Amino acid sequence: MRPEGMRSLHIGLALRMAGRALRRAPGNSALAVSILALGLAAPATFFSLLVGAIRPLPVPEGNRIVRMEVIQPSGGGQAGVVRLADLELLRGGSGLQGLGAFRPFGGTMVDPDRAAARFAGASLTADVLPLLRVSPVTGRIPGPGEERTTVILGYSLWQETYGGDPGALGRVVELNGESRTIVGIMPEGFGFPFNQNTWVVLPVDAGDPEPVELVGRLADEANLEGVGAELAGRWSRGDPLRAEAERGALLSVEPYTGSRGEGGEAVAFIGLVLVAIALLLIACANVANLLLVRATERVRALGIQAALGAGRGQVGAQLLLEAMLLALMGGVLGLVLADAAVDAIQQGLAAEHFGYFWMRMAVDGRVVAFMAALVAGTALTAGTLPVLRVWGVDVQQVLKQEGSAGGMGKSGAWSRVFITAQLGLSCAALVAAGLSARSLSVSRGFGGDLLPREVIVASVDPSESTADHDQTVAMLDARLAAIPEVSASAVAIGAPGYFEPYSRFALDGVTYERDEDRPGTSYNAVTPGYFALFGIEVRAGRRLASSDRRESLPVAVVSESFAREFSPDRELVGRTVSLASDSDPPRWFTIVGVVTDVDVGGGDRVRKARVYLPLAQVEVEGVGLLARTRGDVTVLAGALREAVARVDSSIPLWGVRTLHDAHAYMTRVPRAMGGMALGGGASGLLVAAVGLYGLLAFRVRQRRRELGICLALGANGRRLAGQTLVFALSQVIPALIVGLLVAWLIAPLLGAVLIGLDPRGLGTYAGVAAAFLGVTLLASAIPSLRAARVDPAEVLRGN
């Protein structure tokens, strides 16, 4: 047989024996796979975030779309100014298939038959859409001479304003006061250059002084370095034509998405990936301990294989293949977990939170390739220690020694220190996970007593109307109440738990040495219907009324919690209060009533103290429309737009959503971070438990001969098992103390992402301590039972 055939035979035999060894210990194998899956899922998840932040533009061959970045060295490395005159200077190079310019802008779009809409737009030179190779899904791209008369809408704006009606094409609208005809609708998800939903053609005028950004497409055979050198030379030749302060700037060509934010997104996500890989290394160390325990139990059998002619390479290959099989299974399960985590993060965070339209997280080919590299590294990392230990065994000594673990050495102090440190970190992480779990539970009930699925909220800006502001608000309030589907309505700055302002305040009769000494409260400026909308009842005095107008005495109504917290011993009706954020100097409002609290859920620490002011007596621009529906909220959304358009079609309306969705939007970041913290803490606890189990199992295996002799001499098995448990507690209790102390010190940093919870609440810490001790008992149970059940006769015979 040829040497290649012999090697194939040996590898096949080693693979079969590795698979057989894993099947003989299914529980141990399943535990190792679970640990590796958790360890591999974390870096894969964060790598998908990294890839999602810097993925190429979602256009044909988006990886060839580039941008020109100009830096002014004399300005401390700040961005230089690019104008349309520079576009003509840079055109004509061989390295680009196309070069264009764009300029973001925003404003209000007005259709006389519909409520006005806010938009984020961009002016694009005629080259941009062709070089992006993107066409409207319906309609066309404007032609020459239509630069100042046409507009293309984004898919989302088309759906929001026209309900997807194809008849929108050809309609004349006003964009910031300019009449334009809608000629096209772009595909769903397209938002070039950042997150835009409206586009107009930018005329190329060399005398245009306003800054622009440049975008191009690399030619088929071109590369960044060559194109950058060519365009840098063209740029420098234009220096004599620029103002003196703008000369000397340097131009470079960068991938369009990769250079956004000066790499800030990439740096942040790379940091997360590195942290996750550090956790993976801990998981690998624990799996290595498990494999070492398995190798210890099989060292006599491996020694016999070596005595029968199996070389060091074949024995090592068998152990490495075991690690590889475990890593492969862990990688597959890790990909499943990562995909679920990515989907949860993607669904949990609002789309607008991601910043750029191309950002999309997914477990794609690059993530799978990254996982494959991690799996290979994991197998080598977890499998090397057992191989080195087995290679260090003296075969003759193993065959002669009575104990089957002979020659495998002892677990050193470093191993115990490593496990203790790992347990301490896991304890601190578990506290964060426990707080996050409680916060998530609270967030699910946020707004539960407000009928949030029946209340719809929307934002409008009455200041865009040409009519009197107070009159416009009154008309909006009346139109809202007249909608047949509406059972109660109001106009206000915000809704309970949604965009309510917060301000320091002062009460008459109370002296404050400094402004910082003034207490704070939530407040709202509302129309009278607000109280009926949310079932707020009067406890003393009266509600706000329609007679409370701008020229009337400034008045306020406060909640019961406000009265209890800030004036428990004195009647509030008749006193005056001023809000620091109301005006400068502050005005004093006479308190005319005390009303019941609005319970938005969110735990005991959510603010319930509120001050209500008449909307007519407060200077505001944007306000919210609030309505409770008798039927389908989707029907109400359309009726709401129609009502605003009837008052004044120039008033923009946006952010139409149910109060339930509004609360979900407000809590999206704490919920997403809480979910990740919960998963990370639970995973850390499991990994730490496996590390403790591996340490204890190895210790029992090393002491097997000693334990057998003790039992033969009459020692009590339960007592020996208790010694193993005491050893486990000696590892865990110091780690528990350190972990809880670390968590206590850093807990205030979690306050920003906890909804209505005290980050130092003793209940969470006590629960974590109990859970940790419980896991310790579980991790030490099997090694303790093994210690108690050692067969003295078998040990003394050398088996």
Side-chain angles (χ1 to χ4, degrees):
M1 184 179 292
R2 293 178 302 172
E4 292 80 0
M6 288 294 295
R7 285 197 293 268
S8 300
L9 178 61
H10 290 164
I11 293 175
L13 177 61
L15 184 60
R16 288 196 301 274
M17 296 187 69
R20 186 181 305 164
L22 295 180
R23 290 194 298 271
R24 284 177 178 173
N28 193 299
S29 299
L31 192 58
V33 169
S34 300
I35 293 303
L36 290 177
L38 293 172
L40 290 164
T45 298
F46 293 134
F47 186 74
S48 72
L49 302 183
L50 169 63
V51 170
I54 59 175
R55 68 173 60 248
L57 283 180
V59 299
E61 295 184 282
N63 61 316
R64 304 196 69 79
I65 304 299
V66 296
R67 65 187 291 261
M68 283 80 241
E69 189 173 77
V70 176
I71 300 297
Q72 183 58 262
S74 61
Q78 295 181 350
V81 178
V82 181
R83 296 187 173 86
L84 285 175
D86 299 311
L87 176 63
E88 294 303 311
L89 180 69
L90 296 174
R91 277 178 171 167
S94 60
L96 294 177
Q97 289 184 353
L99 179 64
F102 63 87
R103 180 185 296 149
F105 72 106
T108 303
M109 184 183 76
V110 178
D111 186 318
D113 297 332
R114 286 170 170 79
R118 295 276 192 186
F119 73 86
S123 299
L124 313 174
T125 58
D127 315 77
V128 173
L129 290 180
L131 73 85
L132 293 176
R133 299 178 183 174
V134 179
S135 302
V137 292
T138 182
R140 59 183 177 83
I141 296 176
E146 296 183 300
E147 293 88 346
R148 302 185 186 278
T149 60
T150 57
V151 61
I152 300 175
L153 300 187
Y155 191 90
S156 61
L157 185 61
W158 176 49
Q159 291 289 334
E160 182 178 341
T161 306
Y162 295 100
D165 181 9
L169 292 178
R171 293 191 65 87
V172 178
V173 297
E174 286 193 357
L175 245 60
N176 295 340
E178 293 185 353
S179 293
R180 292 181 178 268
T181 302
I182 300 173
V183 297
I185 308 297
M186 294 304 288
E188 184 175 6
F190 181 79
F192 184 87
F194 309 121
N195 247 338
Q196 274 61 36
N197 57 15
T198 305
W199 298 270
V200 299
V201 178
L202 177 63
V204 179
D205 179 2
D208 188 336
E210 296 298 320
V212 295
E213 291 193 53
L214 303 180
V215 57
R217 175 180 285 273
L218 293 177
D220 291 339
E221 303 300 326
N223 56 60
L224 282 175
E225 293 75 14
V227 173
E230 178 185 8
L231 294 186
R234 287 172 172 264
W235 174 268
S236 62
R237 288 197 292 272
D239 255 6
L241 304 177
R242 300 187 182 97
E244 184 174 354
E246 298 177 6
R247 294 173 185 170
L250 303 177
L251 180 143
S252 62
V253 178
E254 307 287 346
Y256 185 83
T257 59
S259 57
R260 289 295 168 189
E262 287 71 49
E265 301 91 350
V267 170
F269 290 133
I270 287 173
L272 290 174
V273 171
L274 293 177
V275 170
I277 289 178
L279 296 177
L280 174 60
L281 290 176
I282 293 176
C284 288
N286 287 334
V287 172
N289 271 340
L290 289 178
L291 294 177
L292 186 57
V293 171
R294 293 162 62 100
T296 302
E297 295 174 345
R298 296 162 50 209
V299 67
R300 186 174 179 84
L302 293 173
I304 292 174
Q305 289 183 30
L308 293 177
R312 287 158 53 96
Q314 184 172 340
V315 172
Q318 180 180 335
L319 295 176
L320 281 176
L321 284 172
E322 288 183 32
M324 178 60 74
L325 291 174
L326 291 174
L328 282 173
M329 291 185 285
V332 172
L333 183 56
L335 276 178
V336 174
L337 294 177
D339 186 63
V342 165
D343 185 64
I345 296 171
Q346 187 86 21
Q347 296 293 331
L349 292 177
E352 55 265 42
H353 182 74
F354 290 107
Y356 300 132
F357 80 98
W358 61 80
M359 290 186 178
R360 181 181 58 84
M361 296 175 293
V363 177
D364 58 12
R366 283 169 291 185
V367 177
V368 172
F370 178 71
M371 177 67 89
L374 288 181
V375 165
T378 297
L380 290 175
T381 304
T384 298
L385 178 59
V387 170
L388 293 178
R389 286 289 184 93
V390 169
W391 279 357
V393 172
D394 185 337
V395 175
Q396 297 300 322
Q397 181 183 1
V398 168
L399 294 178
K400 289 187 295 183
Q401 190 168 338
E402 291 98 348
S404 62
M408 287 294 287
K410 298 181 179 180
S411 80
W414 69 268
S415 180
R416 294 192 291 275
V417 172
F418 172 79
I419 295 298
T420 300
Q422 180 185 333
L423 289 169
L425 291 175
S426 299
C427 177
L430 192 62
V431 172
L435 291 171
S436 300
R438 293 182 60 193
S439 181
L440 286 172
S441 177
V442 168
S443 69
R444 290 193 183 98
F446 196 69
D449 295 334
L450 298 173
L451 301 175
R453 297 183 187 276
E454 300 176 18
V455 175
I456 197 168
V457 298
S459 298
V460 296
D461 188 356
S463 64
E464 295 281 352
S465 175
T466 56
D468 175 76
H469 184 278
D470 291 348
Q471 182 182 0
T472 301
V473 170
M475 293 175 64
L476 287 170
D477 197 22
R479 282 287 185 185
L480 199 57
I483 297 175
E485 295 85 3
V486 170
S487 60
S489 63
V491 182
I493 294 179
Y498 181 63
F499 287 145
E500 286 183 301
Y502 181 82
S503 172
R504 295 188 181 277
F505 69 91
L507 278 173
D508 64 344
V510 183
T511 302
Y512 308 96
E513 294 184 5
R514 303 173 304 170
D515 288 341
E516 293 79 5
D517 296 333
R518 298 186 178 194
T521 184
S522 298
Y523 74 95
N524 209 341
V526 305
T527 57
Y530 186 93
F531 301 96
L533 175 62
F534 293 110
I536 303 173
E537 300 177 356
V538 176
R539 288 288 185 255
R542 68 173 178 87
R543 294 188 182 95
L544 302 178
S546 57
S547 58
D548 298 319
R549 308 194 61 78
R550 189 174 299 275
E551 62 275 8
S552 306
L553 173 72
V555 296
V557 168
V558 299
S559 67
E560 287 181 300
S561 288
F562 184 96
R564 285 193 300 268
E565 185 174 352
F566 302 114
S567 186
D569 303 322
R570 183 177 172 185
E571 177 67 36
L572 268 175
V573 176
R575 296 183 68 181
T576 55
V577 62
S578 71
L579 297 173
S581 58
D582 171 62
S583 62
D584 189 16
R587 291 185 300 164
W588 289 88
F589 294 83
T590 300
I591 299 173
V592 297
V594 178
V595 297
T596 55
D597 292 331
V598 175
D599 186 7
V600 298
D604 295 335
R605 298 182 71 238
V606 169
R607 291 188 294 263
K608 296 182 180 180
R610 282 174 173 77
V611 174
Y612 300 100
L613 308 176
L615 187 58
Q617 294 183 351
V618 178
E619 295 290 340
V620 294
E621 292 185 358
V623 295
L625 304 183
L626 316 174
R628 189 167 71 228
T629 177
R630 294 187 178 94
D632 188 357
V633 294
T634 58
V635 174
L636 181 57
L640 197 63
R641 295 184 181 281
E642 184 178 348
V644 173
R646 288 185 177 181
V647 173
D648 189 336
S649 61
S650 64
I651 299 175
L653 178 137
W654 69 98
V656 182
R657 53 178 58 136
T658 65
L659 187 55
H660 175 272
D661 291 338
H663 286 154
Y665 173 80
M666 297 297 288
T667 60
R668 68 197 185 282
V669 175
R671 284 188 291 108
M673 295 185 68
M676 286 190 285
L678 179 59
S683 301
L685 178 60
L686 181 57
V687 170
V690 171
L692 181 61
Y693 165 78
L695 176 66
L696 296 175
F698 190 69
R699 174 182 170 83
V700 169
R701 194 67 192 176
Q702 284 182 320
R703 299 181 61 213
R704 189 167 182 268
R705 179 173 174 79
E706 174 190 343
L707 294 172
I709 294 174
C710 290
L711 289 171
L713 295 176
N716 187 291
R718 293 182 179 178
R719 186 173 181 180
L720 295 178
Q723 291 177 358
T724 302
L725 178 58
V726 169
F727 177 78
L729 291 175
S730 70
Q731 293 284 128
V732 169
I733 290 178
L736 183 60
I737 294 173
V738 172
L740 292 177
L741 179 60
V742 170
W744 179 271
L745 293 175
I746 66 174
L749 300 178
L750 300 174
V753 297
L754 298 179
I755 301 175
L757 290 179
D758 181 1
R760 286 180 170 172
L762 294 179
T764 301
Y765 293 81
V768 167
F772 228 71
L773 292 175
V775 168
T776 300
L777 293 176
L778 291 175
S780 59
I782 295 178
S784 298
L785 290 174
R786 285 181 178 175
R789 295 177 178 177
V790 170
D791 185 347
E794 182 180 349
V795 171
L796 294 177
R797 285 198 304 267
N799 296 323

